[in-house]
PDB file of all heavy atoms in Angstrom:
ATOM      1  N   LEU A   9      18.721 152.574 114.557  1.00  0.00           N
ATOM      2  CA  LEU A   9      19.274 152.358 115.809  1.00  0.00           C
ATOM      3  C   LEU A   9      20.572 151.509 115.634  1.00  0.00           C
ATOM      4  O   LEU A   9      20.534 150.503 114.989  1.00  0.00           O
ATOM      5  CB  LEU A   9      18.298 151.512 116.688  1.00  0.00           C
ATOM      6  CG  LEU A   9      18.730 151.171 118.147  1.00  0.00           C
ATOM      7  CD1 LEU A   9      18.852 152.465 118.935  1.00  0.00           C
ATOM      8  CD2 LEU A   9      17.670 150.334 118.776  1.00  0.00           C
ATOM      9  N   TYR A  10      21.643 152.036 116.155  1.00  0.00           N
ATOM     10  CA  TYR A  10      22.959 151.309 115.902  1.00  0.00           C
ATOM     11  C   TYR A  10      23.303 150.539 117.152  1.00  0.00           C
ATOM     12  O   TYR A  10      23.096 150.958 118.266  1.00  0.00           O
ATOM     13  CB  TYR A  10      24.050 152.362 115.679  1.00  0.00           C
ATOM     14  CG  TYR A  10      24.002 153.100 114.339  1.00  0.00           C
ATOM     15  CD1 TYR A  10      23.418 154.403 114.291  1.00  0.00           C
ATOM     16  CD2 TYR A  10      24.442 152.535 113.247  1.00  0.00           C
ATOM     17  CE1 TYR A  10      23.292 155.078 113.122  1.00  0.00           C
ATOM     18  CE2 TYR A  10      24.357 153.204 111.964  1.00  0.00           C
ATOM     19  CZ  TYR A  10      23.817 154.455 111.924  1.00  0.00           C
ATOM     20  OH  TYR A  10      23.723 155.122 110.795  1.00  0.00           O
ATOM     21  N   VAL A  11      23.969 149.378 116.897  1.00  0.00           N
ATOM     22  CA  VAL A  11      24.572 148.581 117.923  1.00  0.00           C
ATOM     23  C   VAL A  11      26.035 148.672 117.555  1.00  0.00           C
ATOM     24  O   VAL A  11      26.469 148.231 116.527  1.00  0.00           O
ATOM     25  CB  VAL A  11      24.019 147.161 117.924  1.00  0.00           C
ATOM     26  CG1 VAL A  11      24.806 146.297 118.956  1.00  0.00           C
ATOM     27  CG2 VAL A  11      22.538 147.087 118.120  1.00  0.00           C
ATOM     28  N   SER A  12      26.826 149.203 118.538  1.00  0.00           N
ATOM     29  CA  SER A  12      28.208 149.308 118.251  1.00  0.00           C
ATOM     30  C   SER A  12      29.076 148.452 119.232  1.00  0.00           C
ATOM     31  O   SER A  12      28.648 148.187 120.305  1.00  0.00           O
ATOM     32  CB  SER A  12      28.635 150.771 118.416  1.00  0.00           C
ATOM     33  OG  SER A  12      28.809 151.140 119.768  1.00  0.00           O
ATOM     34  N   CYS A  13      30.204 148.065 118.742  1.00  0.00           N
ATOM     35  CA  CYS A  13      31.147 147.221 119.497  1.00  0.00           C
ATOM     36  C   CYS A  13      32.504 147.964 119.474  1.00  0.00           C
ATOM     37  O   CYS A  13      33.024 148.204 118.335  1.00  0.00           O
ATOM     38  CB  CYS A  13      31.227 145.819 118.959  1.00  0.00           C
ATOM     39  SG  CYS A  13      32.605 144.863 119.678  1.00  0.00           S
ATOM     40  N   SER A  14      32.990 148.375 120.613  1.00  0.00           N
ATOM     41  CA  SER A  14      34.240 149.146 120.620  1.00  0.00           C
ATOM     42  C   SER A  14      35.482 148.294 120.991  1.00  0.00           C
ATOM     43  O   SER A  14      36.545 148.848 121.105  1.00  0.00           O
ATOM     44  CB  SER A  14      34.080 150.312 121.592  1.00  0.00           C
ATOM     45  OG  SER A  14      33.791 149.799 122.918  1.00  0.00           O
ATOM     46  N   SER A  15      35.293 147.009 121.142  1.00  0.00           N
ATOM     47  CA  SER A  15      36.397 146.180 121.548  1.00  0.00           C
ATOM     48  C   SER A  15      37.311 145.777 120.381  1.00  0.00           C
ATOM     49  O   SER A  15      36.798 145.482 119.345  1.00  0.00           O
ATOM     50  CB  SER A  15      35.910 144.930 122.259  1.00  0.00           C
ATOM     51  OG  SER A  15      36.959 143.975 122.555  1.00  0.00           O
ATOM     52  N   TRP A  16      38.596 145.783 120.581  1.00  0.00           N
ATOM     53  CA  TRP A  16      39.559 145.370 119.572  1.00  0.00           C
ATOM     54  C   TRP A  16      39.368 143.860 119.266  1.00  0.00           C
ATOM     55  O   TRP A  16      39.764 143.328 118.239  1.00  0.00           O
ATOM     56  CB  TRP A  16      40.997 145.649 119.993  1.00  0.00           C
ATOM     57  CG  TRP A  16      41.361 144.982 121.293  1.00  0.00           C
ATOM     58  CD1 TRP A  16      41.250 145.486 122.562  1.00  0.00           C
ATOM     59  CD2 TRP A  16      41.955 143.671 121.459  1.00  0.00           C
ATOM     60  NE1 TRP A  16      41.657 144.632 123.502  1.00  0.00           N
ATOM     61  CE2 TRP A  16      42.153 143.463 122.830  1.00  0.00           C
ATOM     62  CE3 TRP A  16      42.324 142.701 120.579  1.00  0.00           C
ATOM     63  CZ2 TRP A  16      42.682 142.320 123.371  1.00  0.00           C
ATOM     64  CZ3 TRP A  16      42.914 141.492 121.116  1.00  0.00           C
ATOM     65  CH2 TRP A  16      43.041 141.348 122.470  1.00  0.00           C
ATOM     66  N   LYS A  17      38.794 143.145 120.278  1.00  0.00           N
ATOM     67  CA  LYS A  17      38.668 141.652 120.033  1.00  0.00           C
ATOM     68  C   LYS A  17      37.643 141.398 118.983  1.00  0.00           C
ATOM     69  O   LYS A  17      37.694 140.322 118.289  1.00  0.00           O
ATOM     70  CB  LYS A  17      38.172 141.034 121.375  1.00  0.00           C
ATOM     71  CG  LYS A  17      39.203 141.108 122.435  1.00  0.00           C
ATOM     72  CD  LYS A  17      38.730 140.504 123.723  1.00  0.00           C
ATOM     73  CE  LYS A  17      39.773 140.529 124.783  1.00  0.00           C
ATOM     74  NZ  LYS A  17      39.372 139.988 126.044  1.00  0.00           N
ATOM     75  N   GLY A  18      36.691 142.324 118.736  1.00  0.00           N
ATOM     76  CA  GLY A  18      35.725 142.128 117.631  1.00  0.00           C
ATOM     77  C   GLY A  18      36.427 142.017 116.271  1.00  0.00           C
ATOM     78  O   GLY A  18      36.096 141.056 115.469  1.00  0.00           O
ATOM     79  N   ASN A  19      37.341 142.956 115.984  1.00  0.00           N
ATOM     80  CA  ASN A  19      38.050 142.844 114.715  1.00  0.00           C
ATOM     81  C   ASN A  19      38.983 141.657 114.671  1.00  0.00           C
ATOM     82  O   ASN A  19      39.134 141.052 113.608  1.00  0.00           O
ATOM     83  CB  ASN A  19      38.865 144.117 114.533  1.00  0.00           C
ATOM     84  CG  ASN A  19      37.895 145.386 114.305  1.00  0.00           C
ATOM     85  OD1 ASN A  19      36.779 145.187 113.734  1.00  0.00           O
ATOM     86  ND2 ASN A  19      38.337 146.509 114.631  1.00  0.00           N
ATOM     87  N   LEU A  20      39.582 141.325 115.782  1.00  0.00           N
ATOM     88  CA  LEU A  20      40.476 140.125 115.777  1.00  0.00           C
ATOM     89  C   LEU A  20      39.695 138.825 115.495  1.00  0.00           C
ATOM     90  O   LEU A  20      40.138 138.031 114.699  1.00  0.00           O
ATOM     91  CB  LEU A  20      41.123 139.995 117.178  1.00  0.00           C
ATOM     92  CG  LEU A  20      42.019 138.773 117.410  1.00  0.00           C
ATOM     93  CD1 LEU A  20      43.262 138.930 116.549  1.00  0.00           C
ATOM     94  CD2 LEU A  20      42.375 138.651 118.864  1.00  0.00           C
ATOM     95  N   LEU A  21      38.495 138.709 116.095  1.00  0.00           N
ATOM     96  CA  LEU A  21      37.682 137.504 115.762  1.00  0.00           C
ATOM     97  C   LEU A  21      37.181 137.482 114.368  1.00  0.00           C
ATOM     98  O   LEU A  21      37.247 136.445 113.724  1.00  0.00           O
ATOM     99  CB  LEU A  21      36.494 137.507 116.681  1.00  0.00           C
ATOM    100  CG  LEU A  21      36.781 137.151 118.165  1.00  0.00           C
ATOM    101  CD1 LEU A  21      35.523 137.485 119.059  1.00  0.00           C
ATOM    102  CD2 LEU A  21      37.134 135.696 118.297  1.00  0.00           C
ATOM    103  N   LEU A  22      36.894 138.678 113.790  1.00  0.00           N
ATOM    104  CA  LEU A  22      36.391 138.710 112.395  1.00  0.00           C
ATOM    105  C   LEU A  22      37.524 138.379 111.438  1.00  0.00           C
ATOM    106  O   LEU A  22      37.277 137.657 110.452  1.00  0.00           O
ATOM    107  CB  LEU A  22      35.922 140.093 112.058  1.00  0.00           C
ATOM    108  CG  LEU A  22      34.537 140.466 112.671  1.00  0.00           C
ATOM    109  CD1 LEU A  22      34.259 141.967 112.389  1.00  0.00           C
ATOM    110  CD2 LEU A  22      33.476 139.690 112.130  1.00  0.00           C
ATOM    111  N   ALA A  23      38.741 138.761 111.713  1.00  0.00           N
ATOM    112  CA  ALA A  23      39.841 138.569 110.789  1.00  0.00           C
ATOM    113  C   ALA A  23      40.444 137.109 110.940  1.00  0.00           C
ATOM    114  O   ALA A  23      40.892 136.549 109.922  1.00  0.00           O
ATOM    115  CB  ALA A  23      40.945 139.566 111.032  1.00  0.00           C
ATOM    116  N   GLY A  24      40.317 136.555 112.090  1.00  0.00           N
ATOM    117  CA  GLY A  24      40.942 135.278 112.349  1.00  0.00           C
ATOM    118  C   GLY A  24      42.421 135.435 112.508  1.00  0.00           C
ATOM    119  O   GLY A  24      42.921 136.575 112.735  1.00  0.00           O
ATOM    120  N   GLY A  25      43.208 134.392 112.305  1.00  0.00           N
ATOM    121  CA  GLY A  25      44.679 134.523 112.499  1.00  0.00           C
ATOM    122  C   GLY A  25      45.309 133.268 111.992  1.00  0.00           C
ATOM    123  O   GLY A  25      44.662 132.425 111.321  1.00  0.00           O
ATOM    124  N   GLY A  26      46.610 133.137 112.298  1.00  0.00           N
ATOM    125  CA  GLY A  26      47.324 131.970 111.904  1.00  0.00           C
ATOM    126  C   GLY A  26      46.830 130.682 112.457  1.00  0.00           C
ATOM    127  O   GLY A  26      46.965 129.604 111.809  1.00  0.00           O
ATOM    128  N   ARG A  27      46.212 130.693 113.637  1.00  0.00           N
ATOM    129  CA  ARG A  27      45.739 129.449 114.264  1.00  0.00           C
ATOM    130  C   ARG A  27      44.205 129.374 114.439  1.00  0.00           C
ATOM    131  O   ARG A  27      43.731 128.408 114.819  1.00  0.00           O
ATOM    132  CB  ARG A  27      46.413 129.286 115.623  1.00  0.00           C
ATOM    133  CG  ARG A  27      47.917 129.314 115.561  1.00  0.00           C
ATOM    134  CD  ARG A  27      48.584 129.265 116.816  1.00  0.00           C
ATOM    135  NE  ARG A  27      48.496 127.961 117.429  1.00  0.00           N
ATOM    136  CZ  ARG A  27      48.958 127.615 118.657  1.00  0.00           C
ATOM    137  NH1 ARG A  27      49.452 128.588 119.413  1.00  0.00           N
ATOM    138  NH2 ARG A  27      48.822 126.398 119.112  1.00  0.00           N
ATOM    139  N   MET A  28      43.506 130.523 114.056  1.00  0.00           N
ATOM    140  CA  MET A  28      42.046 130.482 114.263  1.00  0.00           C
ATOM    141  C   MET A  28      41.344 130.988 112.958  1.00  0.00           C
ATOM    142  O   MET A  28      41.831 131.946 112.316  1.00  0.00           O
ATOM    143  CB  MET A  28      41.716 131.471 115.398  1.00  0.00           C
ATOM    144  CG  MET A  28      40.235 131.559 115.675  1.00  0.00           C
ATOM    145  SD  MET A  28      39.773 132.830 116.997  1.00  0.00           S
ATOM    146  CE  MET A  28      40.153 134.361 116.182  1.00  0.00           C
ATOM    147  N   ILE A  29      40.330 130.318 112.623  1.00  0.00           N
ATOM    148  CA  ILE A  29      39.567 130.682 111.462  1.00  0.00           C
ATOM    149  C   ILE A  29      38.836 131.996 111.725  1.00  0.00           C
ATOM    150  O   ILE A  29      38.581 132.372 112.826  1.00  0.00           O
ATOM    151  CB  ILE A  29      38.549 129.611 111.066  1.00  0.00           C
ATOM    152  CG1 ILE A  29      37.470 129.364 112.189  1.00  0.00           C
ATOM    153  CG2 ILE A  29      39.182 128.264 110.680  1.00  0.00           C
ATOM    154  CD1 ILE A  29      36.321 128.452 111.887  1.00  0.00           C
ATOM    155  N   PRO A  30      38.465 132.738 110.645  1.00  0.00           N
ATOM    156  CA  PRO A  30      37.678 133.982 110.809  1.00  0.00           C
ATOM    157  C   PRO A  30      36.317 133.624 111.480  1.00  0.00           C
ATOM    158  O   PRO A  30      35.688 132.673 111.189  1.00  0.00           O
ATOM    159  CB  PRO A  30      37.451 134.509 109.403  1.00  0.00           C
ATOM    160  CG  PRO A  30      38.551 133.883 108.609  1.00  0.00           C
ATOM    161  CD  PRO A  30      38.814 132.561 109.251  1.00  0.00           C
ATOM    162  N   ARG A  31      35.913 134.509 112.410  1.00  0.00           N
ATOM    163  CA  ARG A  31      34.675 134.273 113.234  1.00  0.00           C
ATOM    164  C   ARG A  31      33.671 135.318 112.928  1.00  0.00           C
ATOM    165  O   ARG A  31      33.768 136.428 113.530  1.00  0.00           O
ATOM    166  CB  ARG A  31      35.077 134.223 114.709  1.00  0.00           C
ATOM    167  CG  ARG A  31      36.241 133.312 115.066  1.00  0.00           C
ATOM    168  CD  ARG A  31      35.832 131.881 115.260  1.00  0.00           C
ATOM    169  NE  ARG A  31      34.823 131.759 116.241  1.00  0.00           N
ATOM    170  CZ  ARG A  31      35.020 131.842 117.614  1.00  0.00           C
ATOM    171  NH1 ARG A  31      36.216 131.907 118.096  1.00  0.00           N
ATOM    172  NH2 ARG A  31      33.986 131.687 118.412  1.00  0.00           N
ATOM    173  N   PRO A  32      32.708 135.124 112.028  1.00  0.00           N
ATOM    174  CA  PRO A  32      31.765 136.170 111.624  1.00  0.00           C
ATOM    175  C   PRO A  32      30.662 136.382 112.687  1.00  0.00           C
ATOM    176  O   PRO A  32      29.502 136.220 112.481  1.00  0.00           O
ATOM    177  CB  PRO A  32      31.142 135.627 110.384  1.00  0.00           C
ATOM    178  CG  PRO A  32      31.237 134.161 110.488  1.00  0.00           C
ATOM    179  CD  PRO A  32      32.490 133.905 111.278  1.00  0.00           C
ATOM    180  N   TRP A  33      31.070 136.829 113.925  1.00  0.00           N
ATOM    181  CA  TRP A  33      30.151 137.072 115.008  1.00  0.00           C
ATOM    182  C   TRP A  33      29.166 138.193 114.680  1.00  0.00           C
ATOM    183  O   TRP A  33      28.028 138.165 115.143  1.00  0.00           O
ATOM    184  CB  TRP A  33      30.908 137.370 116.301  1.00  0.00           C
ATOM    185  CG  TRP A  33      31.701 138.647 116.189  1.00  0.00           C
ATOM    186  CD1 TRP A  33      33.025 138.763 115.887  1.00  0.00           C
ATOM    187  CD2 TRP A  33      31.266 139.979 116.404  1.00  0.00           C
ATOM    188  NE1 TRP A  33      33.401 140.069 115.819  1.00  0.00           N
ATOM    189  CE2 TRP A  33      32.318 140.854 116.175  1.00  0.00           C
ATOM    190  CE3 TRP A  33      30.000 140.555 116.706  1.00  0.00           C
ATOM    191  CZ2 TRP A  33      32.168 142.248 116.256  1.00  0.00           C
ATOM    192  CZ3 TRP A  33      29.913 141.909 116.828  1.00  0.00           C
ATOM    193  CH2 TRP A  33      30.988 142.734 116.578  1.00  0.00           C
ATOM    194  N   ASP A  34      29.573 139.169 113.782  1.00  0.00           N
ATOM    195  CA  ASP A  34      28.673 140.281 113.507  1.00  0.00           C
ATOM    196  C   ASP A  34      27.445 139.840 112.727  1.00  0.00           C
ATOM    197  O   ASP A  34      26.338 140.205 113.030  1.00  0.00           O
ATOM    198  CB  ASP A  34      29.419 141.433 112.804  1.00  0.00           C
ATOM    199  CG  ASP A  34      30.111 140.947 111.574  1.00  0.00           C
ATOM    200  OD1 ASP A  34      30.288 139.723 111.304  1.00  0.00           O
ATOM    201  OD2 ASP A  34      30.570 141.852 110.781  1.00  0.00           O
ATOM    202  N   THR A  35      27.624 139.022 111.711  1.00  0.00           N
ATOM    203  CA  THR A  35      26.520 138.549 110.896  1.00  0.00           C
ATOM    204  C   THR A  35      25.652 137.576 111.756  1.00  0.00           C
ATOM    205  O   THR A  35      24.405 137.607 111.610  1.00  0.00           O
ATOM    206  CB  THR A  35      26.965 137.871 109.591  1.00  0.00           C
ATOM    207  OG1 THR A  35      27.870 136.846 109.930  1.00  0.00           O
ATOM    208  CG2 THR A  35      27.579 138.873 108.640  1.00  0.00           C
ATOM    209  N   TYR A  36      26.293 136.839 112.550  1.00  0.00           N
ATOM    210  CA  TYR A  36      25.554 135.888 113.453  1.00  0.00           C
ATOM    211  C   TYR A  36      24.695 136.673 114.450  1.00  0.00           C
ATOM    212  O   TYR A  36      23.529 136.365 114.680  1.00  0.00           O
ATOM    213  CB  TYR A  36      26.587 135.016 114.198  1.00  0.00           C
ATOM    214  CG  TYR A  36      25.955 133.907 115.034  1.00  0.00           C
ATOM    215  CD1 TYR A  36      25.392 132.777 114.390  1.00  0.00           C
ATOM    216  CD2 TYR A  36      26.023 133.940 116.398  1.00  0.00           C
ATOM    217  CE1 TYR A  36      24.914 131.726 115.153  1.00  0.00           C
ATOM    218  CE2 TYR A  36      25.499 132.899 117.156  1.00  0.00           C
ATOM    219  CZ  TYR A  36      24.964 131.811 116.572  1.00  0.00           C
ATOM    220  OH  TYR A  36      24.433 130.739 117.299  1.00  0.00           O
ATOM    221  N   LEU A  37      25.208 137.761 115.024  1.00  0.00           N
ATOM    222  CA  LEU A  37      24.497 138.578 115.956  1.00  0.00           C
ATOM    223  C   LEU A  37      23.321 139.293 115.250  1.00  0.00           C
ATOM    224  O   LEU A  37      22.202 139.266 115.704  1.00  0.00           O
ATOM    225  CB  LEU A  37      25.439 139.623 116.607  1.00  0.00           C
ATOM    226  CG  LEU A  37      24.769 140.617 117.567  1.00  0.00           C
ATOM    227  CD1 LEU A  37      24.070 139.860 118.692  1.00  0.00           C
ATOM    228  CD2 LEU A  37      25.897 141.566 118.074  1.00  0.00           C
ATOM    229  N   MET A  38      23.619 139.819 114.094  1.00  0.00           N
ATOM    230  CA  MET A  38      22.540 140.528 113.338  1.00  0.00           C
ATOM    231  C   MET A  38      21.386 139.560 112.966  1.00  0.00           C
ATOM    232  O   MET A  38      20.181 139.947 112.998  1.00  0.00           O
ATOM    233  CB  MET A  38      23.065 141.231 112.083  1.00  0.00           C
ATOM    234  CG  MET A  38      23.813 142.475 112.320  1.00  0.00           C
ATOM    235  SD  MET A  38      22.914 143.732 113.289  1.00  0.00           S
ATOM    236  CE  MET A  38      21.602 144.093 112.103  1.00  0.00           C
ATOM    237  N   TRP A  39      21.708 138.418 112.537  1.00  0.00           N
ATOM    238  CA  TRP A  39      20.724 137.396 112.240  1.00  0.00           C
ATOM    239  C   TRP A  39      19.802 137.152 113.476  1.00  0.00           C
ATOM    240  O   TRP A  39      18.551 137.131 113.322  1.00  0.00           O
ATOM    241  CB  TRP A  39      21.354 136.057 111.827  1.00  0.00           C
ATOM    242  CG  TRP A  39      20.379 135.013 111.432  1.00  0.00           C
ATOM    243  CD1 TRP A  39      19.658 134.915 110.248  1.00  0.00           C
ATOM    244  CD2 TRP A  39      20.008 133.951 112.253  1.00  0.00           C
ATOM    245  NE1 TRP A  39      18.842 133.826 110.306  1.00  0.00           N
ATOM    246  CE2 TRP A  39      19.020 133.214 111.485  1.00  0.00           C
ATOM    247  CE3 TRP A  39      20.358 133.506 113.517  1.00  0.00           C
ATOM    248  CZ2 TRP A  39      18.420 132.002 111.992  1.00  0.00           C
ATOM    249  CZ3 TRP A  39      19.787 132.326 114.000  1.00  0.00           C
ATOM    250  CH2 TRP A  39      18.803 131.583 113.258  1.00  0.00           C
ATOM    251  N   HIS A  40      20.414 136.975 114.617  1.00  0.00           N
ATOM    252  CA  HIS A  40      19.628 136.779 115.897  1.00  0.00           C
ATOM    253  C   HIS A  40      18.834 138.049 116.217  1.00  0.00           C
ATOM    254  O   HIS A  40      17.664 137.900 116.684  1.00  0.00           O
ATOM    255  CB  HIS A  40      20.539 136.404 117.049  1.00  0.00           C
ATOM    256  CG  HIS A  40      20.933 135.005 117.094  1.00  0.00           C
ATOM    257  ND1 HIS A  40      20.052 134.034 117.556  1.00  0.00           N
ATOM    258  CD2 HIS A  40      22.012 134.274 116.757  1.00  0.00           C
ATOM    259  CE1 HIS A  40      20.636 132.857 117.522  1.00  0.00           C
ATOM    260  NE2 HIS A  40      21.817 132.935 116.983  1.00  0.00           N
ATOM    261  N   LEU A  41      19.423 139.200 116.045  1.00  0.00           N
ATOM    262  CA  LEU A  41      18.737 140.453 116.370  1.00  0.00           C
ATOM    263  C   LEU A  41      17.498 140.631 115.495  1.00  0.00           C
ATOM    264  O   LEU A  41      16.344 140.899 115.947  1.00  0.00           O
ATOM    265  CB  LEU A  41      19.612 141.649 116.263  1.00  0.00           C
ATOM    266  CG  LEU A  41      20.650 141.844 117.332  1.00  0.00           C
ATOM    267  CD1 LEU A  41      21.688 142.918 116.956  1.00  0.00           C
ATOM    268  CD2 LEU A  41      19.990 142.151 118.701  1.00  0.00           C
ATOM    269  N   GLN A  42      17.656 140.441 114.166  1.00  0.00           N
ATOM    270  CA  GLN A  42      16.498 140.578 113.281  1.00  0.00           C
ATOM    271  C   GLN A  42      15.473 139.524 113.566  1.00  0.00           C
ATOM    272  O   GLN A  42      14.204 139.781 113.487  1.00  0.00           O
ATOM    273  CB  GLN A  42      16.985 140.594 111.839  1.00  0.00           C
ATOM    274  CG  GLN A  42      17.780 141.888 111.562  1.00  0.00           C
ATOM    275  CD  GLN A  42      18.291 141.963 110.094  1.00  0.00           C
ATOM    276  OE1 GLN A  42      18.310 140.952 109.399  1.00  0.00           O
ATOM    277  NE2 GLN A  42      18.762 143.121 109.754  1.00  0.00           N
ATOM    278  N   ARG A  43      15.885 138.360 113.859  1.00  0.00           N
ATOM    279  CA  ARG A  43      14.935 137.236 114.120  1.00  0.00           C
ATOM    280  C   ARG A  43      14.126 137.569 115.398  1.00  0.00           C
ATOM    281  O   ARG A  43      12.973 137.254 115.461  1.00  0.00           O
ATOM    282  CB  ARG A  43      15.736 135.990 114.264  1.00  0.00           C
ATOM    283  CG  ARG A  43      14.936 134.753 114.245  1.00  0.00           C
ATOM    284  CD  ARG A  43      15.846 133.574 114.023  1.00  0.00           C
ATOM    285  NE  ARG A  43      15.063 132.367 114.524  1.00  0.00           N
ATOM    286  CZ  ARG A  43      15.542 131.511 115.376  1.00  0.00           C
ATOM    287  NH1 ARG A  43      16.720 131.624 115.894  1.00  0.00           N
ATOM    288  NH2 ARG A  43      14.763 130.532 115.742  1.00  0.00           N
ATOM    289  N   ALA A  44      14.742 138.179 116.362  1.00  0.00           N
ATOM    290  CA  ALA A  44      14.044 138.530 117.668  1.00  0.00           C
ATOM    291  C   ALA A  44      13.201 139.706 117.506  1.00  0.00           C
ATOM    292  O   ALA A  44      12.159 139.812 118.177  1.00  0.00           O
ATOM    293  CB  ALA A  44      15.065 138.723 118.761  1.00  0.00           C
ATOM    294  N   LEU A  45      13.529 140.639 116.650  1.00  0.00           N
ATOM    295  CA  LEU A  45      12.811 141.923 116.531  1.00  0.00           C
ATOM    296  C   LEU A  45      11.637 141.836 115.626  1.00  0.00           C
ATOM    297  O   LEU A  45      10.650 142.540 115.787  1.00  0.00           O
ATOM    298  CB  LEU A  45      13.779 143.031 116.090  1.00  0.00           C
ATOM    299  CG  LEU A  45      14.789 143.504 117.136  1.00  0.00           C
ATOM    300  CD1 LEU A  45      15.717 144.502 116.527  1.00  0.00           C
ATOM    301  CD2 LEU A  45      14.081 144.133 118.322  1.00  0.00           C
ATOM    302  N   LYS A  46      11.729 141.011 114.535  1.00  0.00           N
ATOM    303  CA  LYS A  46      10.601 141.012 113.578  1.00  0.00           C
ATOM    304  C   LYS A  46       9.266 140.736 114.223  1.00  0.00           C
ATOM    305  O   LYS A  46       8.297 141.445 113.909  1.00  0.00           O
ATOM    306  CB  LYS A  46      10.893 139.998 112.496  1.00  0.00           C
ATOM    307  CG  LYS A  46      11.772 140.539 111.377  1.00  0.00           C
ATOM    308  CD  LYS A  46      12.010 139.548 110.273  1.00  0.00           C
ATOM    309  CE  LYS A  46      13.050 140.138 109.339  1.00  0.00           C
ATOM    310  NZ  LYS A  46      13.369 139.195 108.262  1.00  0.00           N
ATOM    311  N   PRO A  47       9.061 139.685 115.079  1.00  0.00           N
ATOM    312  CA  PRO A  47       7.757 139.492 115.654  1.00  0.00           C
ATOM    313  C   PRO A  47       7.268 140.633 116.616  1.00  0.00           C
ATOM    314  O   PRO A  47       6.086 140.850 116.734  1.00  0.00           O
ATOM    315  CB  PRO A  47       7.904 138.174 116.459  1.00  0.00           C
ATOM    316  CG  PRO A  47       9.263 137.801 116.379  1.00  0.00           C
ATOM    317  CD  PRO A  47      10.083 138.674 115.453  1.00  0.00           C
TER     318      PRO A  47
END
């Protein structure tokens, strides 16, 4: 089962920029998803 994100903001957050650190929202979301689904 795939969870997809089609927003350009997702890639922008992952990459970070000159003024913002990279934001690994994808691994954070997967951690929460697997934690909620296992039980």
Side-chain angles (χ1 to χ4, degrees):
L9 181 64
Y10 291 98
V11 177
S12 76
C13 172
S14 59
S15 175
W16 60 271
K17 293 179 181 181
N19 290 333
L20 176 70
L21 287 166
L22 287 172
R27 300 175 78 184
M28 180 182 69
I29 61 173
R31 309 277 302 282
W33 63 266
D34 56 346
T35 54
Y36 187 72
L37 176 60
M38 283 305 295
W39 180 78
H40 276 283
L41 285 170
Q42 289 178 347
R43 195 165 159 235
L45 290 173
K46 277 182 187 177

